[in-house]
Amino acid sequence: MTNPSLLILPGDGIGPEVMAEVRKVIAWMGEKRDLTFDVSEDLVGGAAYDKHGVPLADETMAKAQEVDAVLLGAVGGPAYDDLDFSVKPERGLLRLRKEMDLFANLRPAQCFDALADFSSLKKDIVAGLDIMIVRELTSGVYFGEPRGIHTEGNERVGINTQRYTESEIARIAKSAFELARKRDNRVCSMEKANVMESGILWRDVVTEVHEKDYSDVELSHMYADNGAMQLVRNPKQFDVIVTDNLFGDILSDAAAMLTGSLGMLPSASLGAPMENGRPKALYEPVHGSAPDITGQSKANPIACILSFAMALRYSFDRGEEATMVEQAVEKVLADGARTGDLMGPDGGTPISTSEMGDAIIAALNAA
Ligand code: IPM
Ligand code: MG
């Protein structure tokens, strides 16, 4: 049997720093769990632009299509702010999502007990939080046509198009209902059906899919602006939230802060099953490239390590190992290990990115 394959794309900013810590966990799986991956590494984002003049080379795209899973760090940075839109670092990530057809973006927001004090919200509002945002990732206003900036009369006009087909809505709704069945069996769908036709269709199709195949799951609907408010008012009312590409982008950043830090939130982007039965998949932390702390060993590697745990669970059917990684993270946090982003009200001394990685390995060894 051949080893499962991983393509690592560290990308820009703190991407390479946090990915170095994930590599320790990957190596640990080979040594201690008889789970060896064939790992290759390549460039994405600004790093790819610097070498190839594009944020994702065709060869890298082809490799991503072939491997069992892609692990991505982060893309973007101030050095690339003035680049033409078509070659901005973010276009590399969006190309991966689109060409691999990774329509289902899973963003679990969990508040570890040890961090309940660190959220900007009161402890009792976030303690024990465990929600899953399911964001549609390959359509909507991110990709809709027409788009662009053109001139009308004597002024410029910027255009983007929110567009969803029934089948695009139906497949993400199914993903959300399937996930809910493995959790607390509740789905809240968010759109703006009060002002957008695409929102009306979204609500209709989610309701149809529910009636047809998932009536055992509890379904509710909410306008996305109210959803944002409810997420900070009483986030524990939710189990699974399903929403479109743009609302999902915004709501998941808000949800991240409920966990104490954006440095804690992992994600999985999944597509249709490949020939080997595994879904097309890319795993990445929700945080960005964090140029303000790049190169200072301050970044929190936990979101990226937890993204690898999601890969173990969703791509490689190794839920046991995924849980081991998650419990190791929980343990080091309970023991008080903190990177700078996790400094609570009473301060303390932050540890470095690699010290956090080492602490997680030590916890894995001790388990
Ligand atoms: C995210 C990011 C991306 C997005 C950017 C980097 C293109 O914010 O994954 O949430 O907007 O989807
Ligand atoms: Mg975002």
Side-chain angles (χ1 to χ4, degrees):
M1 252 186 53
T2 55
N3 295 330
S5 55
L6 285 175
L7 172 62
I8 294 190
L9 303 174
D12 306 323
I14 59 169
E17 295 169 52
V18 294
M19 202 57 88
E21 304 313 306
V22 175
R23 278 197 173 262
K24 293 178 185 169
V25 181
I26 295 172
W28 188 89
M29 289 293 157
E31 285 159 25
K32 301 288 165 68
R33 302 294 299 178
D34 199 21
L35 178 55
T36 303
F37 293 93
D38 287 340
V39 181
S40 55
E41 188 169 318
D42 211 329
L43 302 171
V44 69
Y49 178 82
D50 290 340
K51 177 141 184 237
H52 303 295
V54 287
L56 187 75
D58 290 342
E59 307 84 72
T60 315
M61 185 66 243
K63 249 192 255 173
Q65 296 282 19
E66 277 162 23
V67 292
D68 292 316
V70 178
L71 301 182
L72 188 137
V75 293
Y80 310 102
D81 279 352
D82 296 330
L83 286 186
D84 185 73
F85 186 75
S86 64
V87 289
K88 276 193 184 298
E90 291 78 6
R91 305 307 305 170
L93 174 58
L94 294 172
R95 181 177 177 198
L96 283 163
R97 290 174 179 173
K98 189 68 179 173
E99 292 191 20
M100 293 170 76
D101 200 17
L102 305 171
F103 64 91
N105 182 214
L106 279 41
R107 299 189 161 187
Q110 249 179 305
C111 183
F112 290 94
D113 284 346
L115 297 184
D117 278 324
F118 295 66
S119 171
S120 42
L121 297 187
K122 292 194 194 84
K123 182 173 183 173
D124 58 312
I125 302 216
V126 295
L129 177 82
D130 178 6
I131 63 179
M132 175 75 87
I133 297 186
V134 179
R135 166 188 177 192
E136 198 291 325
L137 202 60
T138 50
S139 185
V141 75
Y142 272 59
F143 297 99
E145 301 278 348
R147 64 186 300 162
I149 301 175
H150 66 254
T151 305
E152 266 177 40
N154 55 8
E155 64 173 351
R156 288 173 303 157
V157 182
I159 297 178
N160 289 93
T161 302
Q162 166 83 334
R163 177 179 189 277
Y164 271 105
T165 64
E166 286 186 280
S167 50
E168 286 168 344
I169 302 168
R171 67 179 181 173
I172 192 70
K174 282 183 195 148
S175 300
F177 289 128
E178 293 287 344
L179 268 166
R181 278 183 176 159
K182 296 185 190 139
R183 298 172 44 97
D184 200 37
N185 215 30
R186 294 182 292 123
V187 171
C188 180
S189 169
M190 294 187 187
E191 28 56 18
K192 285 282 289 177
N194 50 346
V195 286
M196 296 165 77
E197 286 82 354
S198 61
I200 295 177
L201 185 71
W202 183 281
R203 192 176 281 222
D204 280 355
V205 174
V206 171
T207 305
E208 285 161 20
V209 170
H210 178 250
E211 277 169 10
K212 185 162 174 288
D213 292 317
Y214 297 96
S215 53
D216 56 301
V217 181
E218 189 185 312
L219 171 66
S220 58
H221 303 273
M222 209 177 257
Y223 296 139
D225 53 343
N226 182 28
M229 192 266 277
Q230 295 297 337
L231 262 179
V232 289
R233 192 185 74 88
N234 175 20
K236 283 188 265 182
Q237 71 185 283
F238 298 113
D239 178 27
V240 174
I241 292 172
V242 63
T243 190
D244 76 14
N245 204 342
L246 182 60
F247 294 142
D249 180 45
I250 297 166
L251 294 169
S252 60
D253 263 32
M257 276 319 289
L258 306 173
T259 68
S261 166
L262 195 50
M264 293 297 299
L265 213 71
S267 84
S269 304
L270 306 176
M274 300 184 283
E275 253 172 45
N276 61 13
R278 294 184 173 125
K280 281 256 159 141
L282 179 148
Y283 299 87
E284 57 173 322
V286 171
H287 64 68
S289 56
D292 53 322
I293 57 164
T294 295
Q296 301 169 39
S297 301
K298 283 183 182 167
N300 181 356
I302 291 180
C304 203
I305 288 173
L306 290 176
S307 299
F308 176 61
M310 291 187 86
L312 292 170
R313 179 169 291 123
Y314 292 106
S315 281
F316 303 112
D317 206 15
R318 299 291 284 248
E320 193 185 332
E321 280 77 8
T323 304
M324 291 176 78
V325 174
E326 288 155 1
Q327 285 175 348
V329 167
E330 199 165 354
K331 166 93 173 34
V332 301
L333 293 173
D335 289 349
R338 303 277 183 266
T339 40
D341 58 306
L342 300 177
M343 285 291 113
D346 30 78
T349 315
I351 61 173
S352 70
T353 307
S354 65
E355 284 168 330
M356 181 60 97
D358 291 343
I360 291 169
I361 295 295
L364 281 168
N365 282 328

